[in-house]
Amino acid sequence: MGSYTSKGTYEPHELGALKSVFDELTSQSWFDSSAEARESFAKYLFETFPAVTFDPLKHRTIIEASARMFYTRDGV
């Protein structure tokens, strides 16, 4: 049988890639460290990049730009 990923189901490497970007950006000094910001950012990642659509090399720049726009701490 061929490799098939059903829509809405993340493969382990996809989850790992999303988690890596999430961890990297949320650990930046400019990122709002509140639980609400982290949860909202996680939802943004899952809603914007459903399973099989996320390419960390292709999407990293736009994700950081969005994070900086919507999740920057006050005063930074």
Side-chain angles (χ1 to χ4, degrees):
M1 291 192 151
S3 175
Y4 176 77
T5 302
S6 63
K7 187 174 182 178
T9 304
Y10 291 89
E11 293 293 321
H13 71 277
E14 293 172 318
L15 285 175
L18 278 172
K19 183 178 183 322
S20 179
V21 170
F22 176 87
D23 289 344
E24 179 187 345
L25 294 178
T26 59
S27 69
Q28 300 297 315
S29 61
W30 51 263
F31 195 93
D32 180 351
S33 61
S34 71
E36 294 83 11
R38 292 172 57 86
E39 182 177 328
S40 178
F41 183 54
K43 286 179 183 177
Y44 157 78
L45 289 174
F46 282 112
E47 290 171 358
T48 306
F49 303 100
V52 306
T53 65
F54 179 64
D55 178 345
L57 297 174
K58 181 179 177 183
H59 297 117
R60 169 70 175 72
T61 303
I62 190 69
I63 292 170
E64 182 173 349
S66 294
R68 286 183 178 272
M69 183 179 297
F70 296 108
Y71 303 105
T72 298
R73 291 183 335 171
D74 290 335
V76 176

